[in-house]
Amino acid sequence: MDWDAHGTRFTRVGLTLAEARVVLGVTARTSTSEIRKLYHRMALANHPDKLPFEAGSHEAAAASQTLMKARVAFETVMKAKEGKVGARAHTGESGSQ
C-alpha cells in the first residue's frame, strides 16, 4: 500500500509496457534521457504543490492521480529499458484473468 500526496491510501495500478508508453507519450526507440525529460515535465505539470487548485478539490485529485499514473508508467518503462520487466509486459498482457 502506498500513500498519495494528501495522505490517503491508494493501491498501485499496474500498467503494461504498452500502456506505460502511451501514458508518457514515448516509443520503444525513445532514449532514456528523453523519457526522463518527458516524465519530469509531466510531473511538474501535475504536481499538487505546483497547481493553483484548492487542496481536496476535484481538479487537485485528478492531477494527483495523473501524477501517480505517470510515476508508475515511468518506473515500468525504465525497468523495461534496463531489461527488468518480464515477457508479459512486453506483449501487453496483464497478469490478471
Side-chain angles (χ1 to χ4, degrees), residues 17 20 26 42 62 69 82 87 90:
L17 183 55
V26 299
M42 185 178 264
K69 192 171 184 177
E82 295 170 1
H90 290 289

Side-chain angles (χ1 to χ4, degrees), residues 16-34:
T16 65
L17 183 55
E19 292 168 335
R21 286 181 177 149
V22 169
V23 169
L24 294 176
V26 299
T27 66
R29 294 179 184 224
T30 306
S31 70
T32 302
S33 63
E34 188 63 25

Side-chain angles (χ1 to χ4, degrees), residues 23-83:
V23 169
L24 294 176
V26 299
T27 66
R29 294 179 184 224
T30 306
S31 70
T32 302
S33 63
E34 188 63 25
I35 293 168
R36 283 191 178 107
K37 287 178 191 176
L38 291 169
Y39 168 69
H40 183 73
R41 285 185 205 136
M42 185 178 264
L44 285 176
N46 291 289
H47 197 281
D49 293 340
K50 303 284 184 184
L51 297 173
F53 308 125
E54 289 184 28
S57 70
H58 177 70
E59 293 88 357
S64 182
Q65 287 291 84
T66 301
L67 177 61
M68 286 184 269
K69 192 171 184 177
R71 181 175 49 87
V72 172
F74 176 73
E75 290 171 0
T76 302
V77 170
M78 293 306 288
K79 284 179 185 176
K81 284 281 191 187
E82 295 170 1

